[in-house]
Amino acid sequence: MMRFRDGRLRRTLLAFGVAAAVVVPVSGAARPEIPAPAPASLGRVTAATLPGAYAANRANAAEAAARAEGYGAGERAATLRAMASPHRDFLAFDGRGTGRTAEVFGDLAAADRVAVLVPGSDTSLDSYSRLRSGALALHAELDRHAKPGTRTAVVAWLGYETPGTVSPAVLTTGRADGAAPALRSFVGELHRINAHARVSLLCHSYGSVVCAGAATGPRGLDVADIALYGSPGTGVDEAADLRTRARIWAGRGSGDWIADVPHTSVGLFGTTVGFGTDPVSDGFGARVFAAGDGGHSDYLKPGSVPLGNLARIVRGDATEVTHA
């Protein structure tokens, strides 16, 4: 029986990958890259230079908006103009290609608790509003229940080129392997800006593969908690394989289609396809939190069970987290 299931899985993944390999490049070829300037040169950002970094990134976004407008890319230009607003703060910004951003909500330099949202597939400048909405909802939830005198901040980190949901890249750790060093470096930057902050990673879908890759690096990852939600797997067999002292959490909504993705890995043409053990399974060894009955995109929905639990994890209120 196991041999049959493995064979069927191999055929399914191979068929999916071949189909995606044909579809994605053709669709991508029809969308030439929109021109944008290189990122602003910020140097080593500290708490003192943070306002200047924000201003430089807003100016860069404004220039990117002007170039997009001149190119005739009206929707991208509108997105970039909104990012250039004086009410927006970006610790990192790159308007080229699919985009790279790290938007800050709250006072990063003074925060006691900092959450970093690491998104999954199909997240780019053009779909960024979904990530931003989740960050706003989380920040509001954190502030709503914060202990007196405790300050919070949330960072929406789009620091890598996410794979398409229907693409070969979403089946392997390739994009995550490239993103993991950038995430480790970013966490280090946060600690330089604010040495006393308690940092947590909240990793959605393919973002959980990125977070696991960052945590298995040679120097580990200096964060308090790593929460994996809507995860297809992480690329490691169990939580103990992650080189971090962080508490590892996992949650999945009962309506999330990711539950139907085979939680295994197979070798195809010299590449490992799939991400192994289901993070919410007993065998993985994470702390499983209740994630309600929502779907794959509902974890940061205002008023939802998973949003409440993710906020408790960020605040360090482990005993108050509800469990499945």
Side-chain angles (χ1 to χ4, degrees), residues 42 45-59 86 88-91 107-109 193:
L42 303 178
V45 179
T46 66
T49 63
L50 197 54
Y54 290 159
N57 283 325
R58 283 193 292 266
R88 305 279 290 272
D89 294 328
F90 290 90
L91 185 54
D107 188 344
L108 180 60
I193 293 170

Side-chain angles (χ1 to χ4, degrees), residues 257-271:
W257 56 262
I258 205 77
D260 297 324
V261 172
H263 288 91
T264 187
S265 58
V266 295
L268 288 174
F269 306 120
T271 299

Side-chain angles (χ1 to χ4, degrees), residues 270-297:
T271 299
T272 300
V273 177
F275 307 108
T277 311
D278 185 348
V280 300
S281 68
D282 291 340
F284 188 75
R287 304 180 184 211
V288 179
F289 63 89
D293 58 3
H296 194 61
S297 301

